[in-house]
Amino acid sequence: MTTPASSRCPVAHGSPIDTDGPRIALYSEEFAADPHRAYREMRSRYGALVPVDLSPGVPATLVIGYHAAVKILNDPEHFPADPRTWQKGVPGECPILPMLEWRPNALRSAGLDHTRYRQANTASIGEIDLHALHATVEQIAIPLINAFCADGAADLISQYAFPLTFAVLNAMLGCPPDIGQQVATGMAAIFEGVNADKGNAMLTDALFELVTLKRAQPGDDITSRLLAHSARLDDVEMIHQLVTLYGAGIEPQQNLIVNTLLLMLTDDRFAGNVLGGSLSTRDALDEVLFTDPPMANYCVSYPKQPILIDDIWLPAHQPVVISMAGCNNDPAINAGEYTDNRSHLAWSVGPHACPAKSVAYLIVQDAIDQLLDALPELALGVVPDQLDWRPGPFHRALVALPVTFPKSPPLNVY
């Protein structure tokens, strides 16, 4: 018997994951080359909720509607961050599993567990001396600049942004260089999805070594403060707090430095040459957080049961990924005004919002200002169309940022 049209459910019951057509491959080189075109096409075809693949055969729903994203991010009861049910069906060799798998830390937990981990991290980060951190960034930046300032050319990723963010983070965590090098190698494999399982194992081993060291020799650093916190984190929990701190502290900060420099070197409001710019580093940084955030698609949750969002049923226990880039550029909220506008989602919102925002702002802005003070006639070394973007479902990251500048004598190191 046919159901009368007047009594039929007006809501579509198919989910973006179960689409009849192909899902959008967020891991493809085509997507990496021009994600903003892809977001526009997604919005035109699907609206706020888009069927995507994070990796071959790994479906997810990508949220590109700002208001839908804010609703989801502020509703951890219906959209918990715990992936354990989902990952039971994911092969262990899946290249993105280390980025998404359950870990006993705030990023991948819900409820009381999340509260316990979050409080420990927030307290430990909150004790960072920002004045001392400013001096640390300067002490690390100047030798890096001196290593290439007489050459007249450099790659600002491999020669500046990566080693700087890595060294600053090691200093904040009290991590010796030899352990830190293992951490960096493992973390790079995880972000790139190349030998990610081996990278994950290397990362875990290195962080266990750091935790063991700090239990024996505590210092004035985040790792020692986490160990001393009333949450009484055990070794396994400590390792996974540090995974999150390294994951958030290297790749996103490196990308934010580089993407902001790219804007400043290619937009006459900031540059032409950097000397002629009329807007500040902070203005450029805030604009990039809107238009090209360093983590473009992340903040993953897994609904506990089928749930209705924007007239679409999302399936239970399947990844819902927030596109910070897509949402920030949603025409419903983006009026093209970025100066002093902090309504973007680059730091996330809700209970999983970044607890180290002020620290990240300081590191990135100081890194950029140190470079531009030393080399004010910095210029992009290629035309923008020749820059290559690294493929991957989560980050917005250049392969390299080649620059040129007049050869300069080394800076004084105080």
Side-chain angles (χ1 to χ4, degrees), residues 140-303:
I140 292 168
I142 290 176
L144 290 172
I145 295 168
N146 284 348
F148 59 74
C149 64
D151 298 338
D155 166 31
L156 291 184
I157 295 180
S158 63
Q159 294 178 261
Y160 188 66
F162 170 72
L164 183 144
T165 54
F166 176 51
V168 171
L169 188 60
N170 281 341
M172 290 193 297
L173 293 172
C175 183
D178 57 332
I179 298 176
Q181 188 55 55
Q182 297 174 61
V183 170
T185 303
M187 190 63 71
I190 290 172
F191 268 94
E192 294 299 325
V194 178
N195 295 321
D197 52 344
K198 293 180 181 178
N200 203 21
M202 178 183 291
L203 176 65
T204 300
D205 290 345
L207 294 179
F208 178 73
E209 189 175 349
L210 175 59
V211 170
T212 302
L213 172 66
K214 289 298 167 180
R215 284 201 188 277
Q217 302 174 29
D220 182 15
D221 53 66
I222 294 174
T223 307
S224 299
R225 291 193 288 270
L226 280 169
L227 284 165
H229 192 269
S230 59
R232 300 180 64 84
L233 300 169
D234 63 28
D235 285 353
V236 172
E237 291 174 318
M238 277 296 306
I239 287 169
H240 291 290
Q241 311 317 303
L242 295 172
V243 167
T244 300
L245 290 166
Y246 269 108
I250 299 178
E251 176 84 16
Q253 286 193 125
Q254 169 191 306
N255 295 344
L256 185 53
I257 291 169
V258 171
N259 295 356
T260 303
L261 282 167
L262 176 60
L263 175 64
M264 297 180 77
L265 293 173
T266 55
D267 191 314
D268 288 340
R269 293 172 301 146
F270 303 96
N273 66 53
V274 173
L275 290 172
S278 59
L279 296 176
S280 70
T281 299
R282 184 58 178 260
D283 292 327
L285 202 163
D286 283 335
E287 183 162 332
V288 166
L289 287 168
F290 245 108
T291 58
D292 255 339
M295 291 298 284
N297 307 299
Y298 209 48
C299 303
V300 188
S301 61
Y302 306 82

Side-chain angles (χ1 to χ4, degrees), residues 93-115:
E93 65 274 13
C94 175
I96 62 165
L97 186 58
M99 286 288 289
L100 300 181
E101 68 183 347
W102 178 77
R103 299 177 186 271
N105 60 25
L107 188 63
R108 292 284 170 260
S109 297
L112 294 176
D113 287 338
H114 170 263
T115 300

